[in-house]
Amino acid sequence: MSRNSCLHRHHTQSICASPSLACPKTCSSSGPFGLGNKYVRLNVGGSLFYTMLQVLTRQNSMLKAMFTGKKEVFTDKEGWILIDRSGKHFGSVLCYLREGTVALPKGRQAVLELLAEAKYYLIQGLVDLCQNHLQVSQEHALCVIPVVTSIKEEERLIQSCTKPVVKLVYNRSNNKYSYTSNSDDHLLKNIELFDRLSLSFNGRVLFIRDVIGDEICCWSFYGLGHKFAEVCCTSIVYATEKKQTKVEFPEARIYEETLNVLLYETTQLPNDSLLEAACHGDAGCGFHSEEDEGSGGAEPREYIRQIHVKRYSTYEERPLGH
């Protein structure tokens, strides 16, 4: 019961001897809790509880030993049974003794604390309940990142997944030119960001690694089995006759697209207003290339929002491909 209700004086007699006993006193080990004493007042680390004797003696535990005369019991001068433990989770302990089950507290740390109390009071059923919960939560907390080895495997994985998908392609060796001085550092930053995001959104988003793709460093974002955005982080730099590959780290853009992918968490189509906001209003939800404009839009197709971080530089002002 709550602290307030426990502090309310009841007309039942004190369980232990006389209320004038000094604090603390030891109740007789011969069993002062007879059948006539139906209720017990407990002071557990300063938290007050009021429960029935049959609840405390229902299961084999240290509490049963206390209230059947097998273990020494201390009381204060008002008759409250003193237990030198934290009362934070004692309410859950009582609930388990009453019902045979209990709703475990939220958070791994809180369950660990309740487990410690269950072990102290030797309540094996509650120990098992806490340990099973911790084991299951630990398994769910594991962040499994599949590494695709073929296009078919990738397609199968994305189409069968009910969650949004974020894929990172990184292939350091897939480069016929030399790298700029900080390209390796930026590639490592992209990989580290992928690891951080996969830990943060584990369970909500499927993260995939691709180490055999054509791109050196490229992010792809999928919802409802379809690709809707891409952030390519590589470009070729023509500073001199020597061609170099530059890897960028557009951290803010990658974060933004990862948050956008959460719009596709459910199997239903996302809200139109959310999609419009995610697609940057009038810009539309797709990317129109020059080839699309030349075709006149005769055939409907799915558009992908593509962000390519490319910086070309040359001494001659002329368009350059890569």
Side-chain angles (χ1 to χ4, degrees):
M1 296 182 64
S2 66
R3 184 182 181 89
N4 292 335
S5 61
C6 288
L7 289 174
H8 179 72
R9 289 186 176 274
H10 294 269
H11 295 292
T12 56
Q13 294 182 351
S14 173
I15 296 170
C16 297
S18 170
S20 61
L21 290 175
C23 177
K25 285 290 185 180
T26 305
C27 287
S28 172
S29 61
S30 59
F33 310 104
L35 294 178
N37 298 312
K38 295 183 179 180
Y39 289 93
V40 177
R41 296 187 295 175
L42 303 172
N43 183 337
V44 185
S47 299
L48 306 180
F49 300 88
Y50 196 53
T51 187
M52 296 185 68
L53 181 61
Q54 64 180 13
V55 171
L56 298 171
T57 57
R58 183 167 294 166
Q59 299 188 25
N60 289 326
S61 66
M62 191 187 76
L63 292 170
K64 182 176 182 179
M66 290 174 59
F67 295 99
T68 55
K70 297 180 181 179
K71 186 175 177 61
E72 195 174 44
V73 175
F74 294 92
T75 66
D76 64 11
K77 61 182 180 180
E78 296 182 353
W80 291 90
I81 310 300
L82 302 177
I83 299 179
D84 189 18
R85 294 290 292 184
S86 170
K88 180 178 180 180
H89 298 290
F90 193 74
S92 297
V93 172
L94 288 180
C95 184
Y96 181 82
L97 293 175
R98 291 189 190 102
E99 308 295 337
T101 186
V102 66
L104 297 179
K106 293 182 180 180
R108 179 178 179 83
Q109 182 59 37
V111 177
L112 287 171
E113 293 172 358
L114 178 57
L115 174 61
E117 297 304 304
K119 288 182 177 180
Y120 175 80
Y121 294 113
L122 304 177
I123 306 175
Q124 188 58 44
L126 184 56
V127 170
D128 295 339
L129 183 64
C130 293
Q131 288 179 338
N132 291 338
H133 175 82
L134 291 170
Q135 182 178 355
V136 171
S137 62
Q138 178 66 25
E139 292 174 355
H140 288 173
L142 293 177
C143 185
V144 179
I145 307 297
V147 179
V148 295
T149 56
S150 69
I151 296 177
K152 289 185 177 180
E153 180 185 3
E154 175 187 319
E155 292 176 349
R156 214 165 37 238
L157 193 59
I158 294 173
Q159 292 298 326
S160 62
C161 183
T162 58
K163 297 183 292 187
V165 178
V166 174
K167 183 187 74 171
L168 174 62
V169 177
Y170 59 95
N171 190 351
R172 171 67 170 79
S173 60
N174 187 28
N175 180 32
K176 59 183 178 180
Y177 306 120
S178 62
Y179 280 86
T180 59
S181 58
N182 62 349
S183 289
D184 283 332
D185 290 339
H186 282 175
L187 180 58
L188 288 175
K189 288 180 180 179
N190 278 279
I191 297 173
E192 290 172 357
L193 177 59
F194 178 86
D195 292 339
R196 293 200 307 270
L197 291 173
S198 61
L199 290 173
S200 299
F201 296 101
N202 178 39
R204 301 178 65 184
V205 178
L206 173 65
F207 288 83
I208 300 176
R209 294 181 188 270
D210 186 347
V211 295
I212 60 172
D214 296 331
E215 295 288 349
I216 296 170
C217 183
C218 185
W219 297 73
S220 300
F221 304 86
Y222 301 82
L224 303 177
H226 301 283
K227 183 177 179 180
F228 71 86
E230 178 181 275
V231 178
C232 184
C233 304
T234 56
S235 62
I236 299 176
V237 180
Y238 295 84
T240 62
E241 293 298 325
K242 182 180 180 181
K243 298 179 180 180
Q244 291 181 306
T245 296
K246 188 171 186 178
V247 177
E248 298 286 356
F249 179 50
E251 184 176 10
R253 173 65 67 183
I254 295 167
Y255 265 115
E256 180 182 357
E257 295 300 344
T258 303
L259 294 177
N260 287 339
V261 83
L262 296 176
L263 295 171
Y264 297 88
E265 276 193 279
T266 63
T267 55
Q268 299 178 353
L269 290 174
N271 184 281
D272 291 340
S273 61
L274 291 177
L275 275 178
E276 184 178 355
C279 297
H280 310 292
D282 297 335
C285 201
F287 170 79
H288 297 266
S289 64
E290 295 179 357
E291 292 80 3
D292 297 332
E293 295 175 357
S295 63
E299 296 181 0
R301 56 167 294 179
E302 294 180 0
Y303 292 109
I304 301 172
R305 184 168 61 254
Q306 295 177 321
I307 300 96
H308 287 253
V309 184
K310 294 180 181 293
R311 297 180 182 177
Y312 301 105
S313 62
T314 179
Y315 294 119
E316 299 180 8
E317 294 184 356
R318 57 189 174 122
L320 295 171
H322 68 285

